[in-house]
Amino acid sequence: MNANIPVLLRTYQSRELPFDCKIWEAARATSAMPALFKRIQIGRDQPFVDGGLGRNNPSRLLLDEAKSLFGDRHIGCLVSIGTGQAEVVSIENPGVFQRILPMDVVGVLKAIATDCEATHETMLGLFGNLPNTYFRLNVEQGMQRIDLSELEKLPKVEAHTIQYLKRKEVDEKLALVVDAIRAPRARLTIEQLSTRWSLLSI
């Protein structure tokens, strides 16, 4: 992400002008969570940071990109995978590393209390009458106070995720995801979805 504007670092042909960067630069840019890794400047552009700072749930970007690539083709299935519900991405009082970050970045970090679920609710409305087309998988409880920098708590993250996946309703949802991927029942085109999104945004 460049100055809060998402940049797609593509490895495929697109109608958009290609963004010229090396693979290692793309890897650095997409993992540059300021509390953990420094941001990176690519070429003459502004510094890049992890897209999660402004597009933690990139579902809309995905639909826009699909429309650009595939035109008015039907959409069969969209699966959104979260990292835990609100507050999972938490920034406490600045530590030593955060204190050397530019204040604008710290402000953005604190503002992330996560718009993921708001985007999810919008997507639910968008796919409202298209059963088994849009799916969201997201651990709901247990990880709210786990900071991104607390690597020693990864076993907790794993345990909560396993517990989430063992739930009956999640197991049933996963079965529906597999069915939708194997045999998509496309009912709406990407163009129609874009029109719906515009109406929901009014």
Side-chain angles (χ1 to χ4, degrees):
M1 195 169 71
N2 182 349
N4 293 336
I5 299 170
V7 175
L8 302 183
L9 306 176
R10 302 174 178 88
T11 58
Y12 50 86
Q13 293 296 319
S14 167
R15 297 188 184 115
E16 304 295 324
L17 287 173
F19 183 82
D20 188 24
C21 73
K22 298 178 175 64
I23 291 176
W24 72 265
E25 290 174 320
R28 277 284 314 279
T30 56
S31 60
M33 177 65 189
L36 302 175
F37 301 106
K38 293 179 180 178
R39 49 190 183 171
I40 178 175
Q41 183 161 327
I42 301 176
R44 295 180 180 178
D45 288 273
Q46 294 181 22
F48 285 76
V49 294
D50 173 35
L53 297 185
R55 291 297 187 277
N56 239 359
N57 186 339
S59 300
R60 174 61 199 266
L61 285 176
L62 174 67
L63 288 177
D64 288 343
E65 181 73 351
K67 180 181 175 184
S68 172
L69 287 172
F70 306 119
D72 204 24
R73 285 172 58 176
H74 284 78
I75 184 166
C77 176
L78 175 69
V79 181
S80 173
I81 301 176
T83 57
Q85 286 202 357
E87 290 186 62
V88 174
V89 182
S90 63
I91 300 296
E92 302 297 336
N93 294 328
V96 174
F97 186 72
Q98 281 92 337
R99 280 198 290 268
I100 64 173
L101 291 173
M103 287 310 295
D104 61 328
V105 173
V106 174
V108 171
L109 285 171
K110 288 184 176 178
I112 298 183
T114 333
D115 69 332
C116 291
E117 293 308 306
T119 301
H120 167 55
E121 291 299 321
T122 303
M123 298 302 287
L124 282 176
L126 192 62
F127 288 89
N129 62 350
L130 297 171
N132 303 331
T133 304
Y134 168 73
F135 302 91
R136 172 82 168 161
L137 299 169
N138 199 24
V139 178
E140 295 162 5
Q141 294 296 330
M143 297 198 293
Q144 278 81 353
R145 303 309 299 166
I146 297 178
D147 191 278
L148 285 170
S149 61
E150 294 178 305
L151 298 180
E152 73 279 3
K153 293 187 179 178
L154 280 178
K156 265 190 182 178
V157 172
E158 181 180 6
H160 288 302
T161 304
I162 290 171
Q163 195 62 35
Y164 170 77
L165 292 173
K166 284 182 178 177
R167 288 167 49 184
K168 184 174 184 291
E169 64 269 27
V170 176
D171 189 54
E172 290 172 349
K173 185 187 287 187
L174 285 170
L176 290 173
V177 170
V178 172
D179 286 344
I181 292 172
R182 283 181 173 169
R185 300 172 182 84
R187 299 180 183 87
L188 214 61
T189 66
I190 298 172
E191 181 67 44
Q192 288 169 321
L193 277 174
S194 295
T195 302
R196 278 190 177 193
W197 184 285
S198 299
L199 291 173
L200 284 172
S201 301
I202 294 175

